[in-house]
Amino acid sequence: MLKALPARFLVSPEPWGRRRRPRPRSLRPISAALMTNPAYFEVGRLLGNYGFMNITSYSSSQSGGLPNDAVNQDLSLGYSPEEIERLRVQDVGEGQVKIRLYEGRVVQGPLKGTQTVFKVYPGAIAGASEANLMALNELRTHAFLQSDARDICENIQFLLGAFETATGEQWLAFRDDGRYSAADYAKITSERQLKERPNFWNPYDRAYKLELRKYFVLRLLNGAMCGLVHMHNHDRLHQSLGPSSVVLNTVAEKNGYYLLPQLRDLAFSVDIGYSSVGVGALSDGLWRRASAAGASTPLEKRAFGVADDIYGAGLLIAYMAFIPFCEAGIMDSISLQRLLENTFRLDIYAAREYESLEQNIYMVLPGR
């Protein structure tokens, strides 16, 4: 069971040891009803394009160049070699569907003036049958999670409405609560470290910035995990969780107190209600992997699906624990995943000990 962060992490660090007292966030009342008339919206400029990341398969864990058999034995966590070989790791691939993002706003109704972000799936003319399935699945998932206006999670992107154009394109309109992603934040932060120079006038400047960064990352991860827990509590899996699927309202670490992380990209979400386990056009791969892992009953497949999502959340935590604190180019998400899965064989304690040693060596190098 995931718990909220301790109170000492939920206040913003201030200079000279002072801490800001948390203030309750006043959320504007929202309606769970969806707007389906395109006349309610005004479309603005194109923001960009991107593809979805989804877990495509599992592959056997490899040794990854561990120094010797003795170390392999230390990292086996008490499992036999046969059991270690049965361990499967996630292969994540980018799908064929490319979507477009536009800015816009609501021009009619009670939410008039609300800023929006449109997610546009290619239409039938482009032969995008998979895109139609993804758009429909994302629409249904958001509609289900927003069906009770008293139980709407602030850590999941809010859908305002949806409509289809004459060309068959599916337009989903989301409230614009932020346009940055966790991946954007990590990239900006790591690139900034290349340009930063030591502040000789204030020897505590570097330590203070590091505390701000730690606090920001903790807030980011706490919000993402709260959104994921909400989905699981309502019998939904995310299945596309990663740094690009967490949207942020700010990337300024000094504004970490006001950070609001939200999960997005629910196109591959899976219904794990007991009557729905094992079915779904977009979840065939998940259920095949569950069967290959030995899950046969609906309860076992459901547990496998939840564990699969939690594994993705663990990779997100590892990404945010490393990338924002590294200089650009030192580490990327794929290299980090292979390092944890292949070299350390998912032994987090060994990985932490190794990285602590590396950090100590780095700190005593000349000029550091």
Side-chain angles (χ1 to χ4, degrees):
M1 179 66 68
L2 292 172
K3 299 181 179 179
L5 288 175
R8 62 190 179 93
F9 288 143
L10 297 181
V11 289
S12 179
E14 296 292 334
W16 311 293
R18 297 181 183 178
R19 290 181 179 270
R20 187 183 305 165
R21 180 177 300 175
R23 293 183 299 230
R25 180 182 295 158
S26 58
L27 292 176
R28 178 182 176 184
I30 53 179
S31 171
L34 298 180
M35 294 178 284
T36 57
N37 187 346
Y40 274 75
F41 301 100
E42 180 181 82
V43 180
R45 65 185 179 91
L46 175 69
L47 296 176
N49 304 269
Y50 75 95
F52 280 89
M53 303 302 291
N54 181 237
I55 302 167
T56 57
S57 65
Y58 271 45
S59 59
S60 299
S61 176
Q62 303 297 327
S63 62
L66 288 172
N68 52 52
D69 292 339
V71 176
N72 286 341
Q73 184 65 29
D74 290 339
L75 298 182
S76 65
L77 300 176
Y79 295 102
S80 67
E82 292 77 12
E83 291 172 320
I84 287 292
E85 182 57 29
R86 288 177 56 192
L87 181 64
R88 302 294 182 180
V89 296
Q90 292 178 341
D91 289 335
V92 182
E94 185 173 2
Q96 298 297 320
V97 176
K98 301 293 183 180
I99 64 171
R100 307 191 308 276
L101 296 179
Y102 293 88
E103 66 178 14
R105 64 189 180 98
V106 180
V107 294
Q108 296 184 32
L111 296 180
K112 181 179 179 179
T114 302
Q115 298 297 312
T116 63
V117 172
F118 293 101
K119 178 184 289 186
V120 184
Y121 287 87
I125 292 180
S129 58
E130 182 184 4
N132 289 336
L133 290 175
M134 292 169 60
L136 180 60
N137 189 50
E138 185 163 14
L139 172 62
R140 286 177 173 174
T141 302
H142 279 284
F144 174 79
L145 294 174
Q146 298 173 191
S147 58
D148 185 356
R150 298 167 299 178
D151 188 30
I152 293 178
C153 179
E154 68 174 359
N155 295 118
I156 298 177
Q157 198 173 38
F158 188 77
L159 181 67
L160 293 172
F163 55 89
E164 182 177 353
T165 66
T167 59
E169 289 185 333
Q170 309 292 333
W171 287 61
L172 304 185
F174 294 91
R175 188 175 58 193
D176 186 1
D177 291 325
R179 300 180 185 179
Y180 298 102
S181 69
D184 294 330
Y185 162 72
K187 180 182 179 181
I188 292 171
T189 305
S190 60
E191 290 177 348
R192 185 190 304 143
Q193 294 187 73
L194 291 174
K195 304 175 183 179
E196 288 182 347
R197 294 294 181 266
N199 186 349
F200 297 104
W201 298 103
N202 183 2
Y204 302 103
D205 182 65
R206 186 172 184 272
Y208 174 65
K209 289 181 178 179
L210 183 61
E211 287 300 315
L212 285 178
R213 187 160 301 160
K214 289 179 180 178
Y215 175 78
F216 191 96
V217 171
L218 285 171
R219 290 273 299 188
L220 189 158
L221 292 174
N222 184 54
M225 295 306 110
C226 286
L228 188 63
V229 168
H230 183 83
M231 292 188 66
H232 290 178
N233 287 342
H234 291 76
D235 294 335
R236 292 296 186 275
L237 301 179
H238 191 285
Q239 283 297 287
S240 186
L241 188 60
S244 296
S245 60
V246 181
V247 65
L248 311 175
N249 61 331
T250 180
V251 292
E253 293 170 341
K254 64 181 180 180
N255 297 330
Y257 176 74
Y258 305 101
L259 176 64
L260 178 61
Q262 293 182 323
L263 298 185
R264 67 176 182 183
D265 298 341
L266 305 188
F268 290 102
S269 180
V270 178
D271 184 354
I272 53 172
Y274 291 108
S275 61
S276 302
V277 170
V279 300
L282 294 174
S283 57
D284 285 343
L286 171 66
W287 304 131
R288 283 197 300 269
R289 291 187 278 113
S291 299
S296 56
T297 67
L299 185 61
E300 290 173 342
K301 291 181 178 180
R302 173 189 169 93
F304 178 90
V306 172
D308 199 52
D309 249 13
I310 294 176
Y311 189 92
L315 292 177
L316 172 62
I317 292 174
Y319 180 92
M320 297 309 304
F322 277 86
I323 306 302
F325 300 92
C326 299
E327 293 182 354
I330 293 179
M331 183 70 70
D332 59 65
S333 58
I334 299 299
S335 299
L336 178 60
Q337 181 176 350
R338 295 297 178 248
L339 179 68
L340 294 173
E341 293 175 342
N342 300 343
T343 302
F344 291 105
R345 310 287 285 277
L346 303 179
D347 187 342
I348 301 302
Y349 296 103
R352 184 170 61 180
E353 182 179 355
Y354 173 81
E355 291 302 326
S356 297
L357 179 61
E358 286 284 305
Q359 181 65 19
N360 291 336
I361 295 175
Y362 176 81
M363 293 300 293
V364 300
L365 288 177
R368 296 295 180 181

